[in-house]
Amino acid sequence: MEITVDHIRNKLTTEIGAVHVEVEDTSPNRCAASFKVLVVSPQFEGKPLLQRHRMVNTCLAEELKEIHAFEQKTLTPEQWEKQRAP
Amino acid sequence: QTDFADMVKKDKVVVFMKGTPSQPMCGFSNAVVQILRMHGVDEYAAYNVLEDQDLRQGVKAFSNWPTIPQVFFNGEFVGGCDILLQMHQNGDLVEELKKLGIRS
Protein backbone atom coordinates (compact mmCIF):
# COMPACT_ATOMS: atom_id res chain seq x y z
CA MET A 1 0.00 0.00 0.00
CA GLU A 2 1.35 3.37 -0.95
CA ILE A 3 0.53 5.97 1.64
CA THR A 4 0.06 9.45 0.27
CA VAL A 5 -1.00 12.80 1.67
CA ASP A 6 -4.25 12.59 -0.35
CA HIS A 7 -5.00 9.10 0.88
CA ILE A 8 -4.67 10.16 4.53
CA ARG A 9 -6.73 13.31 3.98
CA ASN A 10 -9.54 11.41 2.26
CA LYS A 11 -9.70 8.75 4.91
CA LEU A 12 -9.85 11.23 7.80
CA THR A 13 -12.51 13.25 5.98
CA THR A 14 -14.80 10.30 5.28
CA GLU A 15 -14.27 8.27 8.44
CA ILE A 16 -14.19 10.87 11.19
CA GLY A 17 -15.98 13.71 9.46
CA ALA A 18 -13.01 16.05 9.40
CA VAL A 19 -13.94 19.49 8.09
CA HIS A 20 -10.31 20.52 7.72
CA VAL A 21 -7.22 18.35 7.36
CA GLU A 22 -3.61 19.35 6.89
CA VAL A 23 -1.21 16.55 6.08
CA GLU A 24 2.49 17.09 5.80
CA ASP A 25 4.75 14.37 4.46
CA THR A 26 7.79 14.65 6.70
CA SER A 27 9.51 11.60 5.21
CA PRO A 28 12.31 13.59 3.55
CA ASN A 29 13.53 14.68 7.01
CA ARG A 30 13.58 11.14 8.32
CA CYS A 31 14.58 7.66 7.34
CA ALA A 32 11.13 6.29 6.48
CA ALA A 33 7.49 7.17 5.86
CA SER A 34 6.57 9.99 8.24
CA PHE A 35 3.54 12.23 8.42
CA LYS A 36 2.28 15.16 10.44
CA VAL A 37 -1.44 15.82 10.49
CA LEU A 38 -3.81 18.47 11.77
CA VAL A 39 -7.38 17.21 11.98
CA VAL A 40 -10.38 19.44 12.63
CA SER A 41 -13.62 17.56 13.24
CA PRO A 42 -16.89 18.27 15.07
CA GLN A 43 -16.73 14.65 16.25
CA PHE A 44 -13.93 15.69 18.66
CA GLU A 45 -16.38 17.86 20.59
CA GLY A 46 -16.45 16.94 24.29
CA LYS A 47 -13.83 14.23 23.91
CA PRO A 48 -10.55 14.27 25.84
CA LEU A 49 -7.29 14.50 23.94
CA LEU A 50 -6.45 10.83 24.37
CA GLN A 51 -9.77 9.73 22.94
CA ARG A 52 -9.42 12.08 19.95
CA HIS A 53 -5.99 10.70 19.18
CA ARG A 54 -7.31 7.18 19.49
CA MET A 55 -9.97 8.00 16.88
CA VAL A 56 -7.28 9.12 14.46
CA ASN A 57 -5.11 6.09 15.26
CA THR A 58 -8.05 3.75 14.67
CA CYS A 59 -8.95 5.45 11.42
CA LEU A 60 -5.39 5.04 10.16
CA ALA A 61 -4.62 1.70 11.85
CA GLU A 62 -3.63 -0.03 8.59
CA GLU A 63 -1.49 2.90 7.46
CA LEU A 64 0.25 3.27 10.83
CA LYS A 65 1.75 -0.20 10.43
CA GLU A 66 3.76 1.19 7.52
CA ILE A 67 4.38 4.64 8.94
CA HIS A 68 7.58 5.15 10.88
CA ALA A 69 6.74 8.43 12.58
CA PHE A 70 3.37 10.08 13.03
CA GLU A 71 2.52 13.42 14.62
CA GLN A 72 -1.02 14.59 15.15
CA LYS A 73 -2.97 17.55 16.40
CA THR A 74 -6.72 17.27 16.93
CA LEU A 75 -9.04 20.28 17.19
CA THR A 76 -12.75 20.97 17.20
CA PRO A 77 -13.97 23.54 14.62
CA GLU A 78 -14.35 26.03 17.48
CA GLN A 79 -10.76 25.52 18.69
CA TRP A 80 -9.57 25.77 15.10
CA GLU A 81 -11.36 29.12 14.59
CA LYS A 82 -9.81 30.46 17.78
CA GLN A 83 -6.36 29.36 16.75
CA ARG A 84 -6.71 30.88 13.30
CA ALA A 85 -7.88 34.28 14.52
CA PRO A 86 -5.84 35.14 17.59
CA GLN B 1 5.90 -13.12 29.73
CA THR B 2 5.91 -9.44 30.62
CA ASP B 3 3.15 -8.24 32.91
CA PHE B 4 2.61 -4.70 31.71
CA ALA B 5 -0.13 -3.98 34.23
CA ASP B 6 2.39 -4.57 37.02
CA MET B 7 5.14 -2.71 35.23
CA VAL B 8 3.16 0.51 34.80
CA LYS B 9 1.90 0.44 38.39
CA LYS B 10 5.27 -0.09 39.99
CA ASP B 11 6.34 3.52 39.54
CA LYS B 12 4.37 6.79 39.50
CA VAL B 13 5.77 7.75 36.14
CA VAL B 14 6.64 5.11 33.57
CA VAL B 15 7.97 5.78 30.07
CA PHE B 16 8.49 3.33 27.22
CA MET B 17 10.95 4.90 24.84
CA LYS B 18 13.62 4.40 22.21
CA GLY B 19 16.94 4.67 24.00
CA THR B 20 17.42 5.87 27.56
CA PRO B 21 16.77 9.22 29.29
CA SER B 22 20.48 9.98 29.15
CA GLN B 23 20.71 8.85 25.53
CA PRO B 24 17.39 9.00 23.65
CA MET B 25 17.58 7.40 20.19
CA CYS B 26 14.66 9.23 18.60
CA GLY B 27 13.44 12.83 18.54
CA PHE B 28 10.01 11.93 19.88
CA SER B 29 11.42 10.01 22.83
CA ASN B 30 13.83 12.86 23.45
CA ALA B 31 10.93 15.34 23.50
CA VAL B 32 9.22 13.36 26.27
CA VAL B 33 12.44 13.24 28.31
CA GLN B 34 12.92 17.00 27.89
CA ILE B 35 9.32 17.83 28.87
CA LEU B 36 9.58 15.69 32.01
CA ARG B 37 12.90 17.29 32.88
CA MET B 38 11.39 20.74 32.44
CA HIS B 39 8.79 19.81 35.04
CA GLY B 40 11.37 18.52 37.47
CA VAL B 41 10.47 14.88 36.96
CA ASP B 42 13.86 13.22 37.23
CA GLU B 43 12.98 9.94 38.81
CA TYR B 44 10.86 7.73 36.66
CA ALA B 45 10.98 4.25 35.22
CA ALA B 46 12.17 4.25 31.61
CA TYR B 47 12.13 1.11 29.51
CA ASN B 48 14.14 0.95 26.30
CA VAL B 49 12.05 -0.80 23.66
CA LEU B 50 15.00 -1.00 21.26
CA GLU B 51 16.59 -3.61 23.49
CA ASP B 52 13.60 -5.92 23.49
CA GLN B 53 11.28 -6.60 20.54
CA ASP B 54 8.74 -8.34 22.80
CA LEU B 55 8.61 -5.25 24.98
CA ARG B 56 8.19 -3.03 21.92
CA GLN B 57 5.28 -5.00 20.46
CA GLY B 58 3.83 -5.91 23.85
CA VAL B 59 3.40 -2.37 25.12
CA LYS B 60 1.63 -1.36 21.90
CA ALA B 61 -0.89 -4.16 22.37
CA PHE B 62 -1.26 -3.44 26.10
CA SER B 63 -2.08 0.25 25.65
CA ASN B 64 -3.73 -0.14 22.24
CA TRP B 65 -1.46 2.65 21.01
CA PRO B 66 0.57 2.22 17.83
CA THR B 67 3.66 4.31 18.51
CA ILE B 68 6.57 4.86 20.89
CA PRO B 69 7.14 6.75 23.24
CA GLN B 70 4.34 5.95 25.66
CA VAL B 71 3.82 7.63 29.02
CA PHE B 72 1.96 6.25 32.05
CA PHE B 73 1.02 8.10 35.26
CA ASN B 74 -0.10 6.02 38.24
CA GLY B 75 -0.67 3.00 36.03
CA GLU B 76 -2.85 4.96 33.59
CA PHE B 77 -1.92 5.48 29.96
CA VAL B 78 -1.47 9.21 29.30
CA GLY B 79 -0.41 9.24 25.66
CA GLY B 80 2.54 9.71 23.39
CA CYS B 81 4.74 12.66 22.56
CA ASP B 82 2.03 14.85 20.93
CA ILE B 83 -0.31 14.50 23.88
CA LEU B 84 2.39 15.18 26.46
CA LEU B 85 3.49 18.24 24.50
CA GLN B 86 -0.04 19.60 24.32
CA MET B 87 -0.56 18.93 28.04
CA HIS B 88 2.66 20.81 28.70
CA GLN B 89 1.45 23.76 26.60
CA ASN B 90 -2.07 23.99 28.01
CA GLY B 91 -1.09 23.52 31.66
CA ASP B 92 -2.74 20.12 32.15
CA LEU B 93 0.60 18.47 32.80
CA VAL B 94 1.22 20.56 35.92
CA GLU B 95 -2.17 19.50 37.26
CA GLU B 96 -1.63 15.83 36.49
CA LEU B 97 1.79 15.87 38.14
CA LYS B 98 0.29 17.56 41.19
CA LYS B 99 -2.07 14.59 41.53
CA LEU B 100 1.00 12.37 41.65
CA GLY B 101 2.51 14.55 44.36
CA ILE B 102 5.10 16.02 42.01
CA ARG B 103 5.49 19.78 42.02
CA SER B 104 6.74 21.12 38.72
Side-chain angles (χ1 to χ4, degrees), chain A residues 17-81:
Chain A
V19 292
H20 179 83
V21 183
E22 284 172 28
V23 189
E24 189 189 336
D25 185 346
T26 53
S27 308
N29 307 330
R30 304 184 193 278
C31 50
S34 307
F35 292 92
K36 187 174 185 172
V37 301
L38 166 71
V39 191
V40 182
S41 168
Q43 290 186 26
F44 293 147
E45 215 90 52
K47 292 202 174 73
L49 202 51
L50 181 62
Q51 211 176 324
R52 295 178 185 188
H53 282 223
R54 281 206 193 279
M55 285 166 70
V56 173
N57 289 345
T58 308
C59 175
L60 299 174
E62 279 305 309
E63 290 76 8
L64 283 176
K65 288 180 197 158
E66 317 283 327
I67 294 174
H68 171 76
F70 187 69
E71 294 167 79
Q72 56 170 309
K73 200 162 187 187
T74 49
L75 300 173
T76 61
E78 197 185 336
Q79 288 173 321
W80 169 234
E81 277 304 318

Side-chain angles (χ1 to χ4, degrees), chain B residues 31-52:
Chain B
V32 164
V33 168
Q34 297 306 329
I35 292 169
L36 290 175
R37 185 170 296 157
M38 237 182 280
H39 287 264
V41 187
D42 295 314
E43 282 180 29
Y44 55 92
Y47 296 97
N48 183 358
V49 302
L50 294 181
E51 282 184 345
D52 186 342

Side-chain angles (χ1 to χ4, degrees), chain B residues 86-102:
Chain B
Q86 284 180 59
M87 286 171 69
H88 164 66
Q89 288 165 343
N90 67 19
D92 285 352
L93 187 57
V94 174
E95 295 305 314
E96 289 302 318
L97 290 172
K98 239 186 235 167
K99 287 185 201 161
L100 303 180
I102 301 170

